[in-house]
C-alpha cells in the first residue's frame, strides 16, 4: 500500500478524534452551565423560603402585638391564653414545617452541588487527559508524517534505481535480441509437399529446438549436401510452446517502454511460418487478453496492449497518454491505415517519411488516434487489419504482402521546470552511469516535442514508443510460386528485408553511416534500430523439409542481427558463430 495513503488515513483518524474530544468538552461545559443555572434557582428558592420564614415571624409578632392589648383587655388572662394557644400551636407547626422544608431544600441543593462539582471535576480531569492524549497523538502523527515523507523519497530513489537496473538487465540481455520460434507441422505442410518427398524416408520435420537457446536444422536429402547446422539465440521456442510463453519474454520490454525507452518487437520469417500468428493471434485480429484466460491463443499485440494499460494504471500520477498509428509498407510505400481522408476500400492513403531534427523521424500527417484502453487499441487494430494487402500463395492462403507496423506513442505532459524529468537519461545521470556504447543518436525515447510534424497536441512530450511489426514474408519465389505483380511485390519485400539486414549489419560493424534510408521500412523504423532502443526480432520458422532453404536464410539473418548486440557489447565486430 502506498505510504501516502497510510499517512492520509492516520491524519483523518486524528482529526476525527480531536473533533470527538472537542464535542465532549463542549458537552461538559454545557452541563456546568446547567448546574450553575440549577444552583441559581435553588438559591432563589432558598431566598423565597427565608422571606416566607421572616414573614411568618413578623406575623406571629403581629399576633402577639394584637394579643398584647387584648391580654390586657380580657378580664381573665387565662381565657385569653386559652384562646391564643391554638394559634401559637399552629404557628409553631408552621415554623417547624418551614424549617424542615428549608432543611430538605438545603440538603437537596447541597447534594446537587456536590454531584455537580464532582462531575465537573471528573469532566475537567478527563478533558485534561484527553488533551494530553491528543497532544501525544498529534506528535506521533507528525512523526509518522515525517517518516512517510522519508519513505516516499526513498521510494522515488529506489524507483529510479530500479529503472536503471532494469535497463542494465535488458542491455545485458541485449538491446537487440533475437528469439526463434519453430511452429508445429500443420496439415497444409503435407498437402504442399510434392508426392516424391512425401514418400521419401527423410522426416518431414527438419528443424528442432535442441534446448531453449539452440536450433538444429538436420536434413539429408538425395542430391543435396547434408545439412546439420545449429544456431544459438537468446531464446528458442519449440513447436509446443504457447503464445503465453512467447509473451513472457516480451513483457520486460514493456517495463522498459514505461521507463522511457523505445521498443520494437518484430516477427521475421518466410510466409506461412507463423509471424502473424505470433504477433496478432490466430485470427489476426483479437482482443485484449482476459486475465482469466491465461492459455488463450492471443498474440503479442493484444497481450502487449493489455499489459501496457495495466502498467499505466499502476502509476496514474504519471498521466501517460497513448496514441496509436497503424501503417503498412507495401511496395516501398507507406500507407496510413487509420487515415479517414483518401482512403479506399483496399488501403489507406499513401504517406511520405519525413525526417525531423535530432534524427527523429515522423511520417508527415500520419493519423494518431488516442486510445484509453486495450479494448480501444484492439478495435483500431482490428479495423485497419482488414485493409492490409494479402494474397493467396502456394505456401499460405493469406500471405501478407506488406509490412504492418503498429505504433503506440506514449506522451506525457511536460514536467514543470524540468523537461524530460521522467526520462531514463535523468535516472542514468543520477546514478552517474556512463552512457552505453552505441547510443550515438540523440533521442531514444524521442525527446523532440510533438508538433514538428503530424502534431496533434503540441504541449505534450513524447515519452517513448512501442512498435509492433508483422513483416511480410521473406519469400523464396520458387517456393511461393508467385508471378506478375505479385512477383514485383515479392521483390520489394525482399529488398526491404535486405535493407533491414544491411542496417543491422552496419550497426554491428559500428559503421559511421547506417543506411536507414535505403528502404522506407528501415527509414520508418530508424528510431528503434540501434542506440538505446530495445529491439526484439522473433524469427518464425517452419519445421518443414520443403522450406529448409528459406529457414536457413532466416536463421542466417537472425544470427547476423545477433551480432549487433554482441558487437556493441564487446566494442568490436566479432566473428559470428558459424553454423556447424
Ligand atoms: P505468416 O504470417 O508468417 O505468413 P501465419 O501466422 O499466418 O503465417 O501462420 C500460417 C498458419 O500457421 C496459420 O494458419 C496459423 O494459424 C498457423 N500457425 C502459425 N504458427 C502456429 C503455432 N505456433 N501454432 C499453431 N498454429 C500456427
Ligand atoms: Mg502474415
Amino acid at each position: 500500500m502506498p505510504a501516502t495513503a497510510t499517512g492520509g488515513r492516520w491524519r483523518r483518524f486524528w482529526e476525527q478524534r480531536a473533533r470527538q474530544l472537542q464535542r465532549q468538552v463542549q458537552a461538559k461545559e454545557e452541563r456546568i452551565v446547567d448546574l450553575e443555572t440549577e444552583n441559581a434557582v435553588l438559591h432563589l428558592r432558598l431566598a423565597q423560603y427565608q422571606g416566607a420564614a421572616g414573614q411568618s415571624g413578623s406575623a406571629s409578632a403581629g399576633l402577639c402585638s394584637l394579643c398584647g392589648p387584648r391580654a390586657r383587655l380580657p378580664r381573665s388572662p387565662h381565657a385569653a391564653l386559652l384562646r391564643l394557644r391554638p394559634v401559637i400551636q399552629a404557628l409553631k407547626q408552621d415554623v417547624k414545617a418551614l424549617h424542615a422544608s428549608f432543611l430538605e431544600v438545603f440538603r437537596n441543593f447541597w447534594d446537587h452541588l456536590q454531584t455537580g462539582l464532582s462531575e465537573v471535576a471528573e469532566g475537567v480531569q478527563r478533558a485534561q487527559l484527553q488533551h494530553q492524549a491528543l497532544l501525544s497523538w498529534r506528535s506521533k502523527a507528525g512523526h509518522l508524517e515525517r517518516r512517510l515523507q522519508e519513505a516516499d523519497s526513498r521510494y522515488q530513489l529506489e524507483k529510479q534505481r530500479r529503472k536503471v537496473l532494469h535497463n542494465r538487465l535488458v542491455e545485458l540481455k541485449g538491446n537487440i535480441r533475437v528469439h526463434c520460434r519453430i511452429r508445429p507441422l500443420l496439415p497444409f505442410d503435407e498437402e504442399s509437399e510434392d508426392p516424391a518427398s512425401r514418400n521419401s524416408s527423410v522426416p518431414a520435420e527438419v528443424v528442432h529446438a535442441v534446448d531453449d537457446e539452440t536450433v538444429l536444422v538436420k536434413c539429408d536429402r538425395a542430391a543435396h549436401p547434408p545439412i546439420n547446422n545449429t544456431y544459438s539465440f537468446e531464446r528458442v521456442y519449440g513447436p509446443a510452446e504457447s503464445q503465453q510463453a512467447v509473451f513472457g519474454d516480451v513483457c520486460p520490454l514493456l517495463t522498459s517502454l514505461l521507463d522511457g525507452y523505445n521498443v520494437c518487437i518484430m516477427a521475421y520469417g518466410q510466409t506461412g511460418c507463423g509471424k502473424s500468428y505470433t504477433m496478432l493471434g490466430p485470427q489476426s485480429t483479437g482482443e485484449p487478453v482476459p486475465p482469466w484466460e491465461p492459455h488463450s491463443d492471443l498474440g503479442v499485440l493484444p497481450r502487449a496492449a493489455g499489459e501496457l494499460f495495466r502498467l499505466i494504471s499502476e502509476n496514474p500520477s504519471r498521466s501517460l497518454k497513448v496514441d496509436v498509428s497503424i501503417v503498412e509498407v507495401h511496395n516501398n510505400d507507406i500507407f496510413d491505415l487509420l487515415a479517414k481522408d483518401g482512403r479506399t476500400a483496399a488501403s489507406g492513403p499513401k504517406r511520405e517519411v519525413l525526417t525531423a531534427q535530432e534524427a527523429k523521424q515522423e511520417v508527415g500527417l500520419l493519423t494518431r488516434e488516442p486510445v484509453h484502453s486495450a479494448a480501444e487499441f484492439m478495435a483500431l487494430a482490428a479495423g485497419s487489419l482488414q485493409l492490409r494487402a494479402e494474397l493467396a500463395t502456394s505456401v499460405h492462403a493469406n500471405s501478407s504482402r506488406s509490412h504492418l507496423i503498429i505504433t503506440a506513442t506514449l506522451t506525457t505532459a511536460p514536467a514543470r521546470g524540468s523537461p524530460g524529468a521522467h526520462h531514463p537519461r535523468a535516472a542514468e545521470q543520477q546514478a552517474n552511469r556512463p552512457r552505453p556504447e552505441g547510443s550515438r543518436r540523440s533521442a531514444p525515447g524521442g525527446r523532440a516535442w510533438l508538433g514538428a510534424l503530424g502534431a496533434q497536441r503540441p504541449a505534450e512530450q513524447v515519452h517513448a514508443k512501442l512498435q509492433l511489426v508483422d513483416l511480410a514474408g521473406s519469400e523464396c519465389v520458387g517456393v511461393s510460386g508467385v508471378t506478375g505483380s505479385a512477383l514485383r511485390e515479392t521483390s520489394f519485400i525482399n529488398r526491404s528485408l535486405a535493407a533491414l539486414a544491411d542496417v543491422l549489419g552496419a550497426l554491428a560493424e559500428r559503421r559511421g553511416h547506417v543506411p536507414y534510408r535505403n528502404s522506407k521500412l528501415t527509414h520508418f523504423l530508424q528510431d528503434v534500430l540501434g542506440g538505446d532502443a530495445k529491439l526484439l526480432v522473433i524469427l518464425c520458422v517452419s519445421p518443414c523439409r520443403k522450406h529448409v532453404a528459406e529457414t536457413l536464410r532466416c536463421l542466417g539473418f537472425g544470427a547476423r542481427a545477433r551480432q549487433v548486440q554482441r558487437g556493441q557489447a564487446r566494442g568490436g565486430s566479432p566473428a559470428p558463430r558459424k553454423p556447424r
Side-chain angles (χ1 to χ4, degrees), residues 185 189-190 193 196-208 216-222 227 542-548:
L185 208 60
D189 287 325
E190 292 196 7
E193 286 260 30
S197 321
R198 222 179 290 166
N199 300 329
S200 92
S201 59
V202 182
E205 255 175 303
V206 296
V207 185
H208 310 274
L216 167 69
V217 184
K218 191 170 167 46
C219 184
D220 282 316
R221 291 176 298 175
I227 301 165
S542 152
C544 200
R545 177 179 43 207
K546 187 180 178 186
H547 302 132
V548 70

Side-chain angles (χ1 to χ4, degrees), residues 16-309:
Q16 232 172 18
R17 186 76 185 123
R19 277 200 296 276
Q20 204 179 7
L21 285 172
Q22 241 170 1
R23 277 199 299 276
Q24 281 181 3
V25 169
Q26 208 176 347
K28 291 294 168 206
E29 280 169 355
E30 280 167 11
R31 179 79 184 119
I32 290 168
V33 170
D34 284 350
L35 286 171
E36 279 170 356
T37 316
E38 220 171 296
N39 201 358
V41 169
L42 287 172
H43 268 298
L44 200 67
R45 281 174 68 187
L46 183 61
Q48 281 172 354
Y49 280 120
Q50 277 171 341
Q55 273 174 10
S56 50
S58 59
S60 72
L63 274 173
C64 283
S65 67
L66 277 176
C67 295
R70 278 201 191 165
R72 263 177 272 124
L73 289 175
R75 270 162 242 140
S76 158
H78 184 72
L81 197 66
L82 280 176
R83 257 189 18 232
L84 278 172
R85 190 172 281 161
V87 175
I88 289 165
Q89 284 298 330
L91 278 172
K92 263 187 187 169
Q93 271 172 4
D94 274 1
V95 168
K96 230 179 183 169
L98 193 64
H99 185 70
S101 87
F102 168 74
L103 278 179
E104 174 75 17
V105 166
F106 185 75
R107 254 198 308 268
N108 277 349
F109 162 71
W110 187 251
D111 288 350
H112 271 96
L113 192 66
Q114 290 303 316
T115 326
L117 280 176
S118 62
E119 274 179 8
V120 167
E122 268 174 37
V124 167
Q125 211 175 357
R126 267 205 305 272
Q128 274 171 351
L129 285 175
Q130 280 163 357
H131 182 65
Q132 272 167 7
L134 185 68
L135 286 178
S136 104
W137 282 120
R138 218 178 258 175
S139 85
K140 273 185 198 164
H143 179 64
L144 282 175
E145 214 162 301
R146 276 195 303 281
R147 285 187 55 190
L148 189 66
Q149 274 165 4
E150 280 167 22
D152 192 48
S153 54
R154 273 211 310 275
Y155 167 71
Q156 293 301 340
L157 195 70
E158 289 306 319
K159 216 166 73 171
Q160 295 287 27
R161 283 191 189 142
R162 185 210 57 76
K163 261 189 198 179
V164 174
L165 286 177
H166 177 82
N167 185 47
R168 278 188 201 165
L169 188 73
V170 172
E171 275 173 2
L172 282 174
K173 284 183 176 177
N175 268 352
I176 298 185
R177 313 192 67 202
V178 182
H179 292 187
C180 174
R181 186 177 200 189
I182 307 167
R183 73 151 165 78
L185 208 60
L186 296 167
F188 64 76
D189 287 325
E190 292 196 7
E191 286 161 20
S192 66
E193 286 260 30
D194 58 279
S197 321
R198 222 179 290 166
N199 300 329
S200 92
S201 59
V202 182
E205 255 175 303
V206 296
V207 185
H208 310 274
V210 177
D211 56 40
D212 64 1
E213 289 184 356
T214 317
V215 184
L216 167 69
V217 184
K218 191 170 167 46
C219 184
D220 282 316
R221 291 176 298 175
H224 288 276
I227 301 165
N228 189 5
N229 294 354
T230 54
Y231 298 83
S232 292
F233 298 106
E234 275 78 24
R235 179 75 162 84
V236 171
Y237 307 99
E241 290 203 62
S242 65
Q243 299 277 66
Q244 172 88 9
V246 175
F247 184 70
D249 294 311
V250 169
C251 224
L253 294 176
L254 294 171
T255 306
S256 292
L257 177 77
L258 272 275
D259 287 348
Y261 292 91
N262 286 343
V263 171
C264 176
I265 301 151
M266 64 166 69
Y268 180 100
Q270 185 199 2
T271 288
C273 61
K275 297 181 299 296
S276 301
Y277 178 87
T278 299
M279 293 306 290
L280 311 168
Q283 285 85 39
S284 296
T285 58
E287 285 168 8
V289 64
W292 58 91
E293 255 186 65
H295 303 298
S296 88
D297 270 351
L298 296 177
V300 168
L301 169 65
R303 287 173 197 269
E307 179 66 5
L308 173 62
F309 281 95

Side-chain angles (χ1 to χ4, degrees), residues 271-272 274-277 280 284 388 390 396 398-402 470-473:
T271 288
K275 297 181 299 296
S276 301
Y277 178 87
L280 311 168
S284 296
R388 197 178 177 192
E390 281 188 350
H396 181 19
N398 304 101
S399 168
S400 306
R401 311 304 292 160
S402 64
D470 180 16
L471 291 169

Side-chain angles (χ1 to χ4, degrees), residues 554-577:
C554 175
L555 294 174
F557 170 87
R560 279 193 301 281
R562 262 196 103 201
Q563 291 166 30
V564 176
Q565 179 55 33
R566 289 168 157 198
Q568 283 176 356
R570 292 182 193 168
S573 47
R577 180 180 168 184

